[in-house]
Amino acid sequence: MTTTAFSYPPTADDGAPHYRLQRHPDPCSAAERDRALAAPGFGQAFTDHMARTTWTAREGWTDRRVQPYAPLSLDPAAAVLHYGQEIFEGLKAYRHPDGSVWTFRPELNAARFAASARRLALPELTEADFLASIAALVRADVDWVPSTPGSSLYLRPFMFASEAFLGVRSAQVVDYLVIASPSGPYFSAGFAPVDIWVADGQHRAGAGGTGAAKCGGNYAASLLPQQQAAEQGCDQVCFPDAGTNTLLEEIGSMNVLVVTRDGAVHTPELTGTILSGVTRRSVLDLCRDQGRDVHERPLPLAEVIGGLRTGEVTEVFACGTAAVITPIGRLAGTSFDLTVGDRAPGPVTTALYDELTGIQRGSAPDDRGWMFRLA
Ligand code: COI
C-alpha cells in the first residue's frame, strides 16, 4: 500500500476521504437478501447501496457519499453514451471463517484504475479515495457478503463522462460509482474446464490503443467474436495480436497461461495491448515462490498448438478476478481443434487455484500481506 492512511478499524482522523452514509429507507428484507445470497450466479443481484462521487473540472471530486442503490438519471447527451469515455475495475470482498471481510490487493486495482483514467483522459482518483469508497460501501452492505463456499461480494468501481456535451473532448463532469453484487462462480460449472475459440483476424487491441486500460470499449469490441466463439461451441474467445495475428494475447475477460512439461509457466508479456491482471500477477508470484520458471514473453499460437500435439504443453488455464483460475479443456480455431491433456484440470492449475483461493478466503496464511481488511 503506498499513499493512504486508510486502515482497519477505521478511525475518524485516519486522513481517508469520507463517504457519508445515506441509508436506504427501504432496504431488502433479510429473507429477500438470503434468497439472493443462496445461489447468487454472477452479476445478477445488487446490494442496497452504491458509493458515489462527482468530479468537475472546477471543483475536483466532491459530494462523496454512500446512497441507496437506484437507477441513474443521465442526460441523453452525456458524453459516455456517445464517445464511450468510461473505465471500470473488478475486485471481490471475501468473508473469512471468523466473519471478518477482506479484499485482495486492492492497491493494484487502485493503481490500474488511475492508469486507465489517464489513458481515457478521465480524472484520477487517489488510492485513498478508491479504498475509502469500497470500504464504505462494503461496511454499509456488510450483510450482503456471502459466506457460502466459492462465493464473494463482487465490487465494480466505474467512472464515466456524465457531462451533457456532444463535442469530442474529455468531459468536464465525471461520475465515479461503486456497486456490489453477491456472486458465485463466473462460469456456472465452477472450477471446471472451459472451451476456448482462438479468433483469426479479429483483435482486441492494437499498439498504442487502449488494450492495457480497463475500459468498456475493449469489452464491447470482444462481443461479436465472443458470439462467434459460442457458435463454435466455445465458452470464450482468445485474441491474437493485431500486429502479426500469430501470438496469443488475451481471452475476452481473462489472461491466458500455459504450463509445459518441465513445470514452467508461460504467459504473454505485457506489451501495452494486454490487461495487467491482478490475478495474473499474483499467480506468477505464486509460481515463482513455488520455484517454477516463469516466462512472460511473446506466445506464438503455433507453438502452443505444436506443444499440445506433442505433449510438451501439459496445461492451459486462464485467470482473472471474476473467473479466478479457470482450466482450459479445449483450444479450437479455424484449422485446429485440440483437447488439453485429458480435459480435467491439471495439477499445476489445481494447486494454484487452491493456494490462491485459500489466501483469499482466509483458510491459508497470507504471508505476503495481500489481504486488506474491510470490515
Ligand atoms: C474481472 O475479472 O473482474 C473482470 O473485470 C472481468 C469482467 C469483465 C467480468
Side-chain angles (χ1 to χ4, degrees):
M1 209 89 17
T2 50
T3 58
T4 181
F6 188 90
S7 60
Y8 183 86
T11 57
D13 57 358
D14 63 6
H18 178 62
Y19 282 72
R20 89 193 127 78
L21 175 59
Q22 199 185 319
R23 262 202 193 282
H24 200 304
D26 185 23
C28 265
S29 69
E32 280 173 314
R33 193 176 57 230
D34 287 349
R35 263 197 302 283
L37 294 186
F42 181 83
Q44 294 164 31
F46 299 93
T47 63
D48 291 316
H49 297 91
M50 58 192 194
R52 186 167 190 180
T53 170
T54 300
W55 177 91
T56 63
R58 261 170 47 132
E59 291 182 283
W61 293 108
T62 57
D63 198 16
R64 293 172 179 80
R65 73 265 193 204
V66 169
Q67 66 183 67
Y69 185 96
L72 301 174
S73 157
L74 210 56
D75 193 294
V80 66
L81 301 177
H82 304 272
Y83 309 126
Q85 198 187 5
E86 186 268 357
I87 57 171
F88 71 96
E89 269 303 320
L91 62 171
K92 287 174 171 172
Y94 306 91
R95 191 172 293 283
H96 281 190
D98 66 358
S100 59
V101 176
W102 302 71
T103 190
F104 182 73
R105 309 188 80 178
E107 71 281 7
L108 299 184
N109 296 91
R112 188 172 63 185
F113 198 55
S116 299
R118 285 192 292 276
R119 181 62 185 86
L120 272 286
L122 284 162
E124 284 181 45
L125 196 72
T126 64
E127 178 186 281
D129 223 338
F130 184 87
L131 296 177
S133 64
I134 61 172
L137 178 60
V138 169
R139 285 171 192 156
D141 283 333
V142 72
D143 292 341
W144 284 90
V145 184
S147 52
T148 45
S151 60
S152 58
L153 186 65
Y154 184 77
L155 305 172
R156 172 53 62 85
F158 60 105
M159 186 191 289
F160 61 91
S162 44
E163 182 185 5
F165 179 61
L166 293 184
V168 181
R169 60 145 168 77
S170 52
Q172 306 293 294
V173 184
V174 168
D175 273 88
Y176 165 72
L177 286 94
V178 191
I179 55 174
S181 174
S183 295
Y186 187 66
F187 296 108
S188 52
F191 184 67
V194 295
D195 295 358
I196 300 295
W197 179 258
V198 182
D200 187 6
Q202 281 167 319
H203 309 286
R204 180 183 164 277
T210 58
K214 205 161 173 67
C215 62
N218 290 343
Y219 294 80
S222 77
L223 298 179
L224 178 62
Q226 168 67 33
Q227 250 176 30
Q228 292 163 346
E231 285 159 15
Q232 302 293 334
C234 289
D235 303 283
Q236 287 272 309
V237 62
C238 181
F239 292 99
D241 72 301
T244 70
N245 199 42
T246 61
L247 306 172
L248 292 186
E249 281 216 320
E250 189 167 334
I251 297 180
S253 52
M254 301 176 283
N255 294 117
V256 60
L257 301 94
V258 166
V259 184
T260 44
R261 209 192 321 243
D262 59 359
V265 172
H266 310 251
T267 193
E269 63 189 333
L270 302 176
T271 54
T273 55
I274 295 173
L275 194 75
S276 173
V278 174
T279 313
R280 174 190 182 278
R281 176 164 164 176
S282 306
V283 163
L284 297 183
D285 287 343
L286 294 177
C287 287
R288 290 189 186 98
D289 288 357
Q290 290 171 357
R292 292 182 190 285
D293 285 335
V294 168
H295 304 281
E296 295 180 72
R297 62 176 176 91
L299 193 60
L301 171 62
E303 180 190 322
V304 177
I305 292 175
L308 285 170
R309 289 195 169 125
T310 60
E312 178 60 22
V313 169
T314 52
E315 301 175 42
V316 185
F317 64 97
C319 70
T321 298
V324 197
I325 290 177
T326 298
I328 293 174
R330 174 181 164 221
L331 203 64
T334 45
S335 59
F336 61 95
D337 194 339
L338 297 162
T339 300
V340 181
D342 60 0
R343 261 196 81 78
V348 176
T349 309
T350 306
L352 286 167
Y353 176 84
D354 288 343
E355 193 174 355
L356 181 70
T357 55
I359 296 167
Q360 291 173 333
R361 300 191 170 284
S363 59
D366 173 27
D367 298 329
R368 301 165 190 83
W370 282 349
M371 299 309 290
F372 180 83
R373 186 158 185 187
L374 294 172

